[in-house]
Amino acid sequence: MSSATPVARLAGDLNLILISLKNVSTHLKGKIMAQDYALGHTDAEMRRLTAQAKLIDPITRRFFEAAGLKAGMRVLDVGSGAGDVAILVADIVGPGGEVLGTDISAVSVKAAEARTKSAGLKQIEFRQGDPAAMAFEAPFDAVVGRYVLQFIPDPHAALEKIALHVKPGGIVVFHELDWGGARSSPLVPTYELVCNWISRTIEAAGARTRLGTGLAPLFEAAGLSPPSLRLESVIASGPAAIDVVHLVTDLVATLMPSMEQFGVATKDEIGHADLVSRIMVEIGMGGTLIGRAEVGAWTVRAG
């Protein structure tokens, strides 16, 4: 497990996609679902996305490099969102490589294009659409994704189609979550209650909370070889756990309307105004918080 790094108060990609799920009127089997991004793409939301990337990118990079991503590769990024993963991959493949990011949202694609243009990353291109249904000019050396399969109605069917864009011998690597990994030692009751609220809300919205540790059977159901697996988490103790606390309490703030809608918890039960301080008191000087499990899975497409 990696040590916690300072993180701005954020809700991140998870919130953005999760709240959108309840606004989806039609599920597209085997495809990245079209979403009404209910949280929008305000400057504040983009800052949360960037803050999450700063916290999670080192973990994602370790997964991708262990999978075999390297300089000069041509890579397909599934569900690019604001472009954070595409930018990370561009740094790995270098100026001699190529990254093609895809997203169903035109707003996301526009925002990602603006970021990469401003950064002068000419090796990145974005296209709007569902990569499970899109056609490309040539096969890729690798396909990557972060926090995307858990939001697809039929992830194994989608993964089976997406993997066809990879050349034989190419890499398929995904980074997903398992909220069952969030815990405390010794017990910090309010932190664990908050994690339970979040998990129940995610499930009520139609997404999966434990897909990370289910990636191996998912890969095999998609016709891929059994993947290599790796798990990391954010962990911190005592006063230094403040960023891990905000990682969940800020998510609660964003999800509060959904928590009430789904009957998970009321505003009075949540008591968000002093939620952080209550958790910190329970942590004291020696309590340790462990974040959700960050799981990487990768394999090579058979010839």
Side-chain angles (χ1 to χ4, degrees):
M1 294 184 181
S2 59
S3 297
T5 56
V7 56
R9 299 176 183 182
L10 55 92
D13 295 315
L14 177 62
N15 324 22
L16 182 64
I17 300 174
L18 172 60
I19 297 297
S20 304
L21 288 173
K22 62 186 175 67
N23 297 314
V24 178
S25 60
T26 303
H27 284 181
L28 305 177
K29 184 176 182 181
K31 297 182 179 181
I32 306 297
M33 65 173 67
Q35 298 170 7
D36 173 13
Y37 282 83
L39 295 188
H41 291 79
T42 63
D43 289 343
E45 186 62 25
M46 292 300 101
R47 285 194 294 271
R48 285 196 292 268
L49 296 175
T50 301
Q52 175 168 268
K54 290 179 180 178
L55 177 70
I56 301 300
D57 274 3
I59 297 175
T60 306
R61 176 184 285 271
R62 287 190 285 273
F63 293 159
F64 288 179
E65 290 181 340
L69 264 65
K70 59 185 179 182
M73 282 187 162
R74 182 169 185 264
V75 180
L76 174 66
D77 174 31
V78 177
S80 295
D84 294 300
V85 171
I87 292 170
L88 183 156
V89 173
D91 189 56
I92 296 174
V93 303
E98 298 177 35
V99 182
L100 178 55
T102 59
D103 200 284
I104 204 75
S105 165
V107 177
S108 291
V109 168
K110 184 176 180 180
E113 286 177 335
R115 287 184 68 195
T116 55
K117 182 178 180 180
S118 176
L121 297 172
K122 297 181 180 180
Q123 71 269 49
I124 304 178
E125 175 189 349
F126 294 98
R127 296 184 191 176
Q128 182 189 359
D130 174 5
M134 295 169 75
F136 301 99
E137 299 82 359
F140 295 87
D141 298 305
V143 60
V144 306
R146 180 170 73 189
Y147 307 160
V148 60
L149 296 175
Q150 65 193 102
F151 298 107
I152 301 176
D154 190 347
H156 89 262
L159 181 57
E160 183 176 11
K161 295 175 182 177
I162 291 167
L164 294 176
H165 296 310
V166 180
K167 64 179 62 173
I171 298 165
V172 178
V173 54
F174 281 84
H175 175 175
E176 299 288 340
L177 298 174
D178 186 335
W179 274 92
R183 59 197 186 278
S184 58
S185 179
L187 178 68
V188 179
T190 304
Y191 173 75
E192 299 213 4
L193 178 61
V194 166
C195 291
N196 177 267
W197 288 338
I198 292 171
S199 294
R200 289 167 56 196
T201 305
I202 293 170
E203 291 171 350
R208 295 165 180 80
T209 60
R210 308 204 64 175
L211 186 67
T213 49
L215 283 171
L218 177 63
F219 271 49
E220 293 186 64
L224 297 168
S225 301
S228 298
L229 299 171
R230 181 172 295 177
L231 183 151
E232 295 193 28
S233 283
V234 174
I235 181 171
S237 182
I242 186 67
D243 293 317
V244 183
V245 173
H246 277 298
L247 190 61
V248 295
T249 59
D250 293 339
L251 183 50
V252 168
T254 301
L255 299 183
M256 216 172 335
S258 294
M259 288 182 173
E260 291 204 292
Q261 177 187 343
F262 297 136
V264 172
T266 66
K267 288 183 179 179
D268 289 340
E269 289 173 322
I270 294 167
H272 193 266
D274 65 349
L275 186 56
V276 172
S277 61
R278 281 161 33 215
I279 295 175
M280 292 304 296
V281 167
E282 292 178 4
I283 293 170
M285 295 304 295
T288 298
L289 300 187
I290 302 168
R292 66 210 185 186
E294 309 283 342
V295 183
W298 60 88
T299 193
V300 172
R301 186 188 172 205

